[in-house]
Amino acid sequence: MYRFTNDYSEGAHPRILDAMVRTNLEGNFGYSTDPHSKHAHELIRAAIGRPDADVHILVGGTQTNATCLCAFLRPHEAAIAAASGHICVHETGAIEATGHKCIAMPAAEGGKLTPDTVRAAVAAHPDEHMVKPKLVYVSNTTEVGGVYTTAELEALRAVCDELGLYLYLDGARLSSALAAGGASLTDLGRLCDAFYIGGTKNGALFGEAVCILNPALKPDFRYIIKQHGGMLAKGWLLGIQFEELFRDGLYFEVGEHANGLAMKLKEGISALGYAFGSDSPSNQQFPILPNRVLDQLKDDFHWEVTSKPDAEHTEIRLVTSWATQPEAVEAFLSALANAKE
Amino acid sequence: MYRFTNDYSEGAHPRILDAMVRTNLEGNFGYSTDPHSKHAHELIRAAIGRPDADVHILVGGTQTNATCLCAFLRPHEAAIAAASGHICVHETGAIEATGHKCIAMPAAEGGKLTPDTVRAAVAAHPDEHMVKPKLVYVSNTTEVGGVYTTAELEALRAVCDELGLYLYLDGARLSSALAAGGASLTDLGRLCDAFYIGGTKNGALFGEAVCILNPALKPDFRYIIKQHGGMLAKGWLLGIQFEELFRDGLYFEVGEHANGLAMKLKEGISALGYAFGSDSPSNQQFPILPNRVLDQLKDDFHWEVTSKPDAEHTEIRLVTSWATQPEAVEAFLSALANAKE
Amino acid sequence: MYRFTNDYSEGAHPRILDAMVRTNLEGNFGYSTDPHSKHAHELIRAAIGRPDADVHILVGGTQTNATCLCAFLRPHEAAIAAASGHICVHETGAIEATGHKCIAMPAAEGGKLTPDTVRAAVAAHPDEHMVKPKLVYVSNTTEVGGVYTTAELEALRAVCDELGLYLYLDGARLSSALAAGGASLTDLGRLCDAFYIGGTKNGALFGEAVCILNPALKPDFRYIIKQHGGMLAKGWLLGIQFEELFRDGLYFEVGEHANGLAMKLKEGISALGYAFGSDSPSNQQFPILPNRVLDQLKDDFHWEVTSKPDAEHTEIRLVTSWATQPEAVEAFLSALANAKE
Amino acid sequence: MYRFTNDYSEGAHPRILDAMVRTNLEGNFGYSTDPHSKHAHELIRAAIGRPDADVHILVGGTQTNATCLCAFLRPHEAAIAAASGHICVHETGAIEATGHKCIAMPAAEGGKLTPDTVRAAVAAHPDEHMVKPKLVYVSNTTEVGGVYTTAELEALRAVCDELGLYLYLDGARLSSALAAGGASLTDLGRLCDAFYIGGTKNGALFGEAVCILNPALKPDFRYIIKQHGGMLAKGWLLGIQFEELFRDGLYFEVGEHANGLAMKLKEGISALGYAFGSDSPSNQQFPILPNRVLDQLKDDFHWEVTSKPDAEHTEIRLVTSWATQPEAVEAFLSALANAKE
């Protein structure tokens, strides 16, 4: 059985696990006040080119989004997101649970938000009888594998400046976005009010590093982390993981490995004549395959179903990660080639 | 200047105001525990054919919707509403402020929800990574003047039973819906889990009477009213108003008066060859008129703009109420007939 | 039966009711954007000596406190209040329902907060593992009838400045506090970050006028009012009432009338040799009377029980208002004098 | 430097870390739907003697308390806790952030709640103008090291049954409470509506296992976990840790080890003639030592200060854990014996 189910099916990259084992008994202060955490924060500040950034590492993605939006928004302020965005769909209303509406807008190609969409959301909310749009939420990569270019993020930054909005980026799969040639870490440091660098899906056991650039959003963030249950007692575990990810480029390697195998899948599946639900340059691929073919593959490979375009076809999601082996990809392409339609 | 701006531009129906003046100094216990409130509750229970109903009269509509949904839903449960629904758009995120997502679905003709739409909303939320749809929110009349028939509400009740959902009806403009031949008060008593009978837009100074039919939704509702700031100290003021509205049919008269004049507007405007943005049988009419015509009327009449279908035309909203005078309608139709395109 | 139950047992002062009747059909824009509201806001700004104040009139007291604290505080920030304070006890957790902790501190004489108490509350919350005290809540009069002097409020202002706290005053019974020689309206305008001038218990049918002085607390307050269900559709009703209260001193007269009768009660009861649970200079009096005496009075007078100091005695609360008649006070004192211990 | 700072200064018990390393690459479904999690749940159900329990493992303690209380309580319902309780003081208002008041009551000896205290809290909240007490929160051990006996918990269960309250126990330091002879795991399974078995302070890297016994509290708990950001993507990490803790008694060994060393500290310090702020039978000890003595120890040992009883003395907290070495205790006692007062 080869798994393409998701990018969080295995534990940690071996280098990260080694670091955790090595430091297990050294004794550290709690709640991310330890030297490993401070060092990790330094490494991240250097990587994003913002020595002034506040860095806080939380445990998981939904927790991070909810904590950030709760910290950044006043009660009547809302987030603008693609209707397919993680906060709109896959977080069990965590943002609403902190009191804020997510304004769901139709996504453009690749699951992305555009400046025009942001403008339309703001125009539709003109007065105090409606929520006040205040934050633009994007994720990189998007839910359908899309990757924001530097120019696209610059355009979003410009519309945010024009309309008085914050730009927030969810980097749950950021290593893959970076490896796909999207906006760089220093672009994010330059363009976002805040963003997070995902660990869980990029080689860590868990951990998401929030970088706050806008000084107005920095005060008292640790209070909000604690209030939302995101302050890990053994916080150095987060520091150790990001130290390893950012010490010598492991974070980038992880994305390159995953994307390399994803591109092999994409090319191989295309070469066999199959189409995709989304043209993804990143570690999630969405081929549309005949049900009869999938029946022949399903005992040897695991994936998720994303939609059923017609009675005979299914769109599936294949995900690669740091843990995916080249032979898994080869096995899949070989089985697909041999399957009978 | 004649106002068709809305149905809350004047104070109270004279009979209601008289009752308030008459009882001003009689002395009453606070917080709706007085005899007037109890009597009003009795009259409402009789009118809806549900002697077992719990009745609570709150001050305003947004407050009532937020209090009800907060009381009825667990934290992860969501409301299904038309995307144009009041809770989705015009309540400044009051529902989200109590922690609940409003699932905005495309409205059918007349701004209505259909069983198929409800089914689609539930199907799109299959597991715990998403909110759990639990309550269907409809308003009667709808935001665009639509009126639910008995059969339509029965169909919604059936799908709610099938899927384990509550059916909640916002009756901000219920007197107009009743006068338009929509589902009757006893239909609402029979089909809803809870609904409210609007006072503010139906002759009262203020006041919205919540009727809770489902026993599971009754416990401790007064705590939630108080917590949401909806428990009026001088609660008998609410009782007195609904006593007068339901003593001898005033509530129905109010809707008939408003609808009668709205139908005159509709027929007169149609006879002049103009179209409508929505085919409304109730007290809100949405004619599409040439901008040049509106320019000639705007000094003598007041309305709200609802949309601009093209560069030369504007859809406006004309609203009638218990306070609208027949001469206002005649003046409008006459001015419209005389305006030059 | 004479009622000393509370100060919200009757409707409106006759002058206010007259104004409502007179303007019933004039037609006004909704949501407090009408000329009456604007005029009332002007009158209030003049009365408090702050032409720069933002004034917003809401419907009720719990709603007002919850709306203000929700608007003013970030999620981790807390209010400091006397343990007997209205927000700590009598609002069904309305403040907590907006996410904020009320730090309940022991009250000093008269139910008041002192600078030392405020300092102690702040000292007990040193870091991000605890909430951050940010707002001092006082009410004038207090729950036990206490009245803050100018000097006492100045001392609280000083400690708030020292510790970076907001000073917020709940004026549900402000006319009585003013008539008792407490801090004046211009003192409040000078010393508070925000406060509200109560209407419900001071002659109005309903209505509480929030005055926001601190510019940092002003933005978007109307959004928060709407989100909390406090934006009355027929908002001019609030304007009309406060126009009348502040046009020519009615607000002060109301408090003087109530306090005058309360002082008669206090003196008469004292003269009969009875003690009080609290030495109140305002419209609430808390005599401690023998149960056998109360049994003889209870068919002719109504009051609330506040505590049972011992098996033979009960502390009751007697409240006077604009609507209390002098003969009610005389009747009570006479009956008390005639009762047999 | 020997650390008695707390019981979360080191990583995981070596056996747990070994299990994580061993399973790192095996591949598992996410979100605690994997076989390790299911097995851990089974082991816990067996240990608490409740095959019908719902078990859910969350990441941290504040998160667990907030998730449980949010899931169990309706909006107007409140928790009763000792004023020193973790939810009252050390969770940055996490409970209030979910909308619920914590009713802080004076703790009895050992930081415990008693039936009389619970009764007093309920008696003080008689109607809908106040929150409704609904859940009794206790922690075992308490904040000052107290341990509930079986009889004490049975008495709390009885008062909860009498008054319609839930009994919830926070077991952040449960292994120490068990080792101290407090109520057993099967007692908890029999007496609580819900409780959690702490992992973070009892040998795990992180993880707190909620056991829900009351069927009314079970539905949809996973939705609330997810909404509160507590659903770990790599949820099998939680399962693996609790598998190891409950496979063959490691959870009990951990508590016995910590308590054994704590008792050595207690006896040694007592033998030197020093008093304690609290008579703790568990892994937290609170000796009161002369400041001059502490000055001589502070370069070699780390502790937290809990209070300053007078100008010459300080109460400190010494905490032991699975990771504490016997030589640390010996070194402390020896240094204390040698210090000059």
Side-chain angles (χ1 to χ4, degrees), chain C residues 49-71:
Chain C
R50 287 292 296 259
D52 60 324
D54 274 10
V55 180
H56 305 271
I57 314 182
L58 282 78
V59 173
T62 295
Q63 182 184 86
T64 300
N65 287 333
T67 302
C68 284
L69 271 59
C70 177

Side-chain angles (χ1 to χ4, degrees), chain A residues 154-167:
Chain A
E154 285 172 340
L156 285 172
R157 175 73 268 165
V159 76
C160 285
D161 285 343
E162 177 192 328
L163 299 172
L165 306 173
Y166 304 129
L167 180 57

